[in-house]
Amino acid sequence: MLIRCTRKSVTMGDDVYAPHEIKFDLSSTATLEDITHKIKEMSYLPTIYGGKATWVLLKDSTPLAVIAQQWEQAKFFDNQNLTIQRLFLKEKEGNLFFDYYAQQDPIEVFATLKN
């Protein structure tokens, strides 16, 4: 399945390249965790001086995971083993968005969004 990602800009200069779209194919049996690994492998999310950028992965307005520059793995709101097929039921293309939370503590962001 084709996965299309966009992300929020991190600086005014970064706005020039908005909406920062990337597309890649993954098997329909790939998981939400596989998507986050692919994003990390592609170095899609900008790194921030100081090493503490926080991102939230969203489908529509539903948070799926928090990704922090200082973490090796994402922290998931839903089952990290949720397949793409189930995540994007009957959709031809999977659309995801990464919201930028600057240098906010990712644990606090996760706790706030989980409630």
Side-chain angles (χ1 to χ4, degrees):
M1 172 178 242
L2 183 65
I3 305 296
R4 178 182 169 270
C5 297
T6 54
R7 68 168 173 83
K8 189 178 264 184
S9 296
V10 296
T11 65
M12 288 176 53
D14 195 30
D15 288 343
V16 173
Y17 303 104
H20 310 287
E21 180 179 280
I22 61 164
K23 293 181 180 182
F24 54 90
D25 280 309
L26 285 176
S27 163
S28 62
T29 60
T31 64
L32 184 55
E33 185 174 24
D34 294 331
I35 292 172
T36 62
H37 285 294
K38 181 73 172 175
I39 292 299
K40 187 171 182 108
E41 174 184 290
M42 296 172 73
S43 299
Y44 174 62
L45 300 175
T47 56
I48 305 303
Y49 179 77
K52 294 188 177 182
T54 300
W55 298 88
V56 175
L57 173 59
L58 303 158
K59 179 185 184 289
D60 302 319
S61 59
T62 303
L64 302 173
V66 172
I67 299 170
Q69 183 176 342
Q70 63 270 34
W71 292 350
E72 287 295 318
Q73 302 288 328
K75 187 166 178 69
F76 297 89
F77 291 99
D78 203 343
N79 183 350
Q80 67 196 48
N81 295 317
L82 182 67
T83 64
I84 290 173
Q85 183 176 18
R86 292 203 51 221
L87 183 62
F88 301 109
L89 286 175
K90 300 180 184 179
E91 295 178 41
K92 293 182 182 187
E93 179 179 284
N95 290 296
L96 298 170
F97 179 73
F98 289 89
D99 199 2
Y100 180 53
Y101 280 72
Q103 289 76 45
Q104 291 183 38
D105 182 338
I107 297 292
E108 289 178 10
V109 170
F110 186 85
T112 300
L113 293 175
K114 189 164 179 121
N115 293 331

PDB file of all heavy atoms in Angstrom, residues 34-50:
ATOM      1  N   ASP A  34       6.226  -0.776  11.917  1.00  0.00           N
ATOM      2  CA  ASP A  34       7.025  -0.801  10.687  1.00  0.00           C
ATOM      3  C   ASP A  34       7.063   0.573  10.020  1.00  0.00           C
ATOM      4  O   ASP A  34       8.095   0.985   9.479  1.00  0.00           O
ATOM      5  CB  ASP A  34       6.475  -1.833   9.696  1.00  0.00           C
ATOM      6  CG  ASP A  34       6.612  -3.261  10.179  1.00  0.00           C
ATOM      7  OD1 ASP A  34       7.552  -3.558  10.949  1.00  0.00           O
ATOM      8  OD2 ASP A  34       5.762  -4.096   9.779  1.00  0.00           O
ATOM      9  N   ILE A  35       5.939   1.280  10.066  1.00  0.00           N
ATOM     10  CA  ILE A  35       5.896   2.627   9.492  1.00  0.00           C
ATOM     11  C   ILE A  35       6.881   3.536  10.222  1.00  0.00           C
ATOM     12  O   ILE A  35       7.648   4.259   9.597  1.00  0.00           O
ATOM     13  CB  ILE A  35       4.469   3.218   9.548  1.00  0.00           C
ATOM     14  CG1 ILE A  35       3.535   2.461   8.608  1.00  0.00           C
ATOM     15  CG2 ILE A  35       4.486   4.712   9.201  1.00  0.00           C
ATOM     16  CD1 ILE A  35       2.074   2.840   8.737  1.00  0.00           C
ATOM     17  N   THR A  36       6.884   3.494  11.552  1.00  0.00           N
ATOM     18  CA  THR A  36       7.790   4.370  12.306  1.00  0.00           C
ATOM     19  C   THR A  36       9.250   4.004  12.048  1.00  0.00           C
ATOM     20  O   THR A  36      10.101   4.890  11.980  1.00  0.00           O
ATOM     21  CB  THR A  36       7.491   4.363  13.821  1.00  0.00           C
ATOM     22  OG1 THR A  36       7.673   3.067  14.358  1.00  0.00           O
ATOM     23  CG2 THR A  36       6.073   4.860  14.097  1.00  0.00           C
ATOM     24  N   HIS A  37       9.534   2.720  11.866  1.00  0.00           N
ATOM     25  CA  HIS A  37      10.909   2.306  11.530  1.00  0.00           C
ATOM     26  C   HIS A  37      11.307   2.843  10.158  1.00  0.00           C
ATOM     27  O   HIS A  37      12.433   3.302   9.972  1.00  0.00           O
ATOM     28  CB  HIS A  37      11.047   0.784  11.567  1.00  0.00           C
ATOM     29  CG  HIS A  37      11.086   0.211  12.944  1.00  0.00           C
ATOM     30  ND1 HIS A  37      12.106   0.448  13.836  1.00  0.00           N
ATOM     31  CD2 HIS A  37      10.209  -0.598  13.588  1.00  0.00           C
ATOM     32  CE1 HIS A  37      11.862  -0.184  14.966  1.00  0.00           C
ATOM     33  NE2 HIS A  37      10.708  -0.808  14.843  1.00  0.00           N
ATOM     34  N   LYS A  38      10.392   2.768   9.207  1.00  0.00           N
ATOM     35  CA  LYS A  38      10.660   3.255   7.848  1.00  0.00           C
ATOM     36  C   LYS A  38      10.935   4.762   7.875  1.00  0.00           C
ATOM     37  O   LYS A  38      11.869   5.241   7.225  1.00  0.00           O
ATOM     38  CB  LYS A  38       9.472   2.932   6.938  1.00  0.00           C
ATOM     39  CG  LYS A  38       9.632   3.368   5.517  1.00  0.00           C
ATOM     40  CD  LYS A  38      10.608   2.493   4.784  1.00  0.00           C
ATOM     41  CE  LYS A  38      10.620   2.826   3.303  1.00  0.00           C
ATOM     42  NZ  LYS A  38      11.640   2.062   2.595  1.00  0.00           N
ATOM     43  N   ILE A  39      10.137   5.498   8.638  1.00  0.00           N
ATOM     44  CA  ILE A  39      10.323   6.951   8.750  1.00  0.00           C
ATOM     45  C   ILE A  39      11.697   7.265   9.328  1.00  0.00           C
ATOM     46  O   ILE A  39      12.415   8.142   8.838  1.00  0.00           O
ATOM     47  CB  ILE A  39       9.200   7.565   9.621  1.00  0.00           C
ATOM     48  CG1 ILE A  39       7.855   7.478   8.907  1.00  0.00           C
ATOM     49  CG2 ILE A  39       9.522   8.993  10.040  1.00  0.00           C
ATOM     50  CD1 ILE A  39       7.777   8.225   7.597  1.00  0.00           C
ATOM     51  N   LYS A  40      12.085   6.532  10.352  1.00  0.00           N
ATOM     52  CA  LYS A  40      13.401   6.741  10.972  1.00  0.00           C
ATOM     53  C   LYS A  40      14.513   6.386   9.978  1.00  0.00           C
ATOM     54  O   LYS A  40      15.485   7.126   9.839  1.00  0.00           O
ATOM     55  CB  LYS A  40      13.516   5.907  12.238  1.00  0.00           C
ATOM     56  CG  LYS A  40      14.773   6.181  13.021  1.00  0.00           C
ATOM     57  CD  LYS A  40      14.756   5.509  14.375  1.00  0.00           C
ATOM     58  CE  LYS A  40      15.986   5.842  15.126  1.00  0.00           C
ATOM     59  NZ  LYS A  40      15.794   6.742  16.225  1.00  0.00           N
ATOM     60  N   GLU A  41      14.344   5.287   9.284  1.00  0.00           N
ATOM     61  CA  GLU A  41      15.331   4.829   8.291  1.00  0.00           C
ATOM     62  C   GLU A  41      15.514   5.872   7.187  1.00  0.00           C
ATOM     63  O   GLU A  41      16.617   6.073   6.684  1.00  0.00           O
ATOM     64  CB  GLU A  41      14.831   3.503   7.709  1.00  0.00           C
ATOM     65  CG  GLU A  41      15.627   2.934   6.584  1.00  0.00           C
ATOM     66  CD  GLU A  41      14.949   1.680   6.049  1.00  0.00           C
ATOM     67  OE1 GLU A  41      14.947   0.667   6.754  1.00  0.00           O
ATOM     68  OE2 GLU A  41      14.416   1.737   4.926  1.00  0.00           O
ATOM     69  N   MET A  42      14.435   6.542   6.812  1.00  0.00           N
ATOM     70  CA  MET A  42      14.474   7.542   5.741  1.00  0.00           C
ATOM     71  C   MET A  42      14.968   8.906   6.228  1.00  0.00           C
ATOM     72  O   MET A  42      15.150   9.818   5.425  1.00  0.00           O
ATOM     73  CB  MET A  42      13.076   7.699   5.133  1.00  0.00           C
ATOM     74  CG  MET A  42      12.575   6.458   4.447  1.00  0.00           C
ATOM     75  SD  MET A  42      10.841   6.599   3.948  1.00  0.00           S
ATOM     76  CE  MET A  42      10.988   7.733   2.579  1.00  0.00           C
ATOM     77  N   SER A  43      15.163   9.065   7.544  1.00  0.00           N
ATOM     78  CA  SER A  43      15.553  10.352   8.139  1.00  0.00           C
ATOM     79  C   SER A  43      14.594  11.464   7.714  1.00  0.00           C
ATOM     80  O   SER A  43      15.019  12.576   7.389  1.00  0.00           O
ATOM     81  CB  SER A  43      16.993  10.708   7.768  1.00  0.00           C
ATOM     82  OG  SER A  43      17.877   9.736   8.250  1.00  0.00           O
ATOM     83  N   TYR A  44      13.314  11.142   7.722  1.00  0.00           N
ATOM     84  CA  TYR A  44      12.289  12.087   7.277  1.00  0.00           C
ATOM     85  C   TYR A  44      12.075  13.233   8.262  1.00  0.00           C
ATOM     86  O   TYR A  44      11.884  14.372   7.858  1.00  0.00           O
ATOM     87  CB  TYR A  44      10.976  11.330   7.042  1.00  0.00           C
ATOM     88  CG  TYR A  44       9.794  12.204   6.723  1.00  0.00           C
ATOM     89  CD1 TYR A  44       9.789  13.002   5.588  1.00  0.00           C
ATOM     90  CD2 TYR A  44       8.686  12.239   7.562  1.00  0.00           C
ATOM     91  CE1 TYR A  44       8.707  13.809   5.297  1.00  0.00           C
ATOM     92  CE2 TYR A  44       7.598  13.043   7.273  1.00  0.00           C
ATOM     93  CZ  TYR A  44       7.612  13.828   6.141  1.00  0.00           C
ATOM     94  OH  TYR A  44       6.542  14.631   5.853  1.00  0.00           O
ATOM     95  N   LEU A  45      12.095  12.936   9.551  1.00  0.00           N
ATOM     96  CA  LEU A  45      11.849  13.968  10.554  1.00  0.00           C
ATOM     97  C   LEU A  45      13.136  14.710  10.857  1.00  0.00           C
ATOM     98  O   LEU A  45      14.159  14.084  11.166  1.00  0.00           O
ATOM     99  CB  LEU A  45      11.275  13.349  11.829  1.00  0.00           C
ATOM    100  CG  LEU A  45       9.946  12.613  11.649  1.00  0.00           C
ATOM    101  CD1 LEU A  45       9.529  11.928  12.947  1.00  0.00           C
ATOM    102  CD2 LEU A  45       8.863  13.550  11.151  1.00  0.00           C
ATOM    103  N   PRO A  46      13.112  16.037  10.791  1.00  0.00           N
ATOM    104  CA  PRO A  46      14.334  16.789  11.048  1.00  0.00           C
ATOM    105  C   PRO A  46      14.844  16.591  12.473  1.00  0.00           C
ATOM    106  O   PRO A  46      14.053  16.434  13.404  1.00  0.00           O
ATOM    107  CB  PRO A  46      13.911  18.249  10.866  1.00  0.00           C
ATOM    108  CG  PRO A  46      12.608  18.231  10.187  1.00  0.00           C
ATOM    109  CD  PRO A  46      11.992  16.903  10.462  1.00  0.00           C
ATOM    110  N   THR A  47      16.152  16.597  12.604  1.00  0.00           N
ATOM    111  CA  THR A  47      16.753  16.583  13.934  1.00  0.00           C
ATOM    112  C   THR A  47      16.974  18.022  14.359  1.00  0.00           C
ATOM    113  O   THR A  47      17.155  18.916  13.533  1.00  0.00           O
ATOM    114  CB  THR A  47      18.084  15.810  13.939  1.00  0.00           C
ATOM    115  OG1 THR A  47      18.956  16.382  12.973  1.00  0.00           O
ATOM    116  CG2 THR A  47      17.867  14.345  13.623  1.00  0.00           C
ATOM    117  N   ILE A  48      16.942  18.241  15.642  1.00  0.00           N
ATOM    118  CA  ILE A  48      17.026  19.580  16.205  1.00  0.00           C
ATOM    119  C   ILE A  48      18.307  19.691  17.031  1.00  0.00           C
ATOM    120  O   ILE A  48      18.665  18.756  17.757  1.00  0.00           O
ATOM    121  CB  ILE A  48      15.795  19.851  17.108  1.00  0.00           C
ATOM    122  CG1 ILE A  48      14.501  19.613  16.341  1.00  0.00           C
ATOM    123  CG2 ILE A  48      15.835  21.241  17.712  1.00  0.00           C
ATOM    124  CD1 ILE A  48      14.326  20.422  15.083  1.00  0.00           C
ATOM    125  N   TYR A  49      18.964  20.833  16.924  1.00  0.00           N
ATOM    126  CA  TYR A  49      20.138  21.070  17.755  1.00  0.00           C
ATOM    127  C   TYR A  49      19.725  20.917  19.216  1.00  0.00           C
ATOM    128  O   TYR A  49      18.718  21.458  19.640  1.00  0.00           O
ATOM    129  CB  TYR A  49      20.695  22.475  17.497  1.00  0.00           C
ATOM    130  CG  TYR A  49      21.895  22.783  18.337  1.00  0.00           C
ATOM    131  CD1 TYR A  49      23.142  22.257  18.006  1.00  0.00           C
ATOM    132  CD2 TYR A  49      21.788  23.570  19.464  1.00  0.00           C
ATOM    133  CE1 TYR A  49      24.251  22.523  18.779  1.00  0.00           C
ATOM    134  CE2 TYR A  49      22.890  23.844  20.249  1.00  0.00           C
ATOM    135  CZ  TYR A  49      24.121  23.319  19.898  1.00  0.00           C
ATOM    136  OH  TYR A  49      25.217  23.583  20.675  1.00  0.00           O
ATOM    137  N   GLY A  50      20.468  20.157  19.970  1.00  0.00           N
ATOM    138  CA  GLY A  50      20.116  19.855  21.354  1.00  0.00           C
ATOM    139  C   GLY A  50      19.530  18.462  21.486  1.00  0.00           C
ATOM    140  O   GLY A  50      19.476  17.909  22.567  1.00  0.00           O
TER     141      GLY A  50
END
